[in-house]
Amino acid sequence: MFSGWTKFADRCRACGLDLSSFNVGDGPAAFLTLIIGAVIVTLAITVELNFSPPFWVHVILWVPLTAVAVIGSLRLAKGVLISLEYRNAAAEGRIKDR
């Protein structure tokens, strides 16, 4: 399904489905940033209130953890979104003919 870390291949190697017609855009990255951001902020506040570490500890902990979590789960999120597009026959916005 993928030809690179997060880039889709033109066709599925298993079934031959044309993947170039699907467009997941930036949706997965936006969702992951918001969801993982909320989790990281909650963890950072908890650590701050319980241990009161210096600022540099927060930077060393949360910046890499956030980057790894978002980038690491991006492939899964893109795969889920493209499968939902396929299952629901999603396409460009259009007005239904009456």
Side-chain angles (χ1 to χ4, degrees), residues 18-96:
D18 180 21
L19 297 172
S20 63
S21 63
F22 295 98
N23 180 17
V24 295
D26 293 332
F31 286 126
L32 289 174
T33 301
L34 291 172
I35 293 166
I36 292 172
V39 171
I40 295 293
V41 167
T42 303
L43 290 172
I45 290 171
T46 303
V47 167
E48 177 62 35
L49 293 177
N50 289 328
F51 304 110
S52 299
F55 179 73
W56 63 268
V57 173
H58 285 291
V59 172
I60 289 175
L61 277 177
W62 308 120
V63 172
L65 184 61
T66 303
V68 167
V70 170
I71 294 168
S73 57
L74 189 57
R75 190 173 177 138
L76 174 67
K78 283 183 137 190
V80 168
L81 229 57
I82 204 166
S83 67
L84 289 172
E85 276 189 31
Y86 177 74
R87 188 185 79 188
N88 296 316
E92 290 287 328
R94 58 189 178 269
I95 298 175
K96 185 176 178 181

Side-chain angles (χ1 to χ4, degrees), residues 11-17:
R11 294 198 163 281
C12 176
R13 288 180 294 191
C15 67
L17 176 66

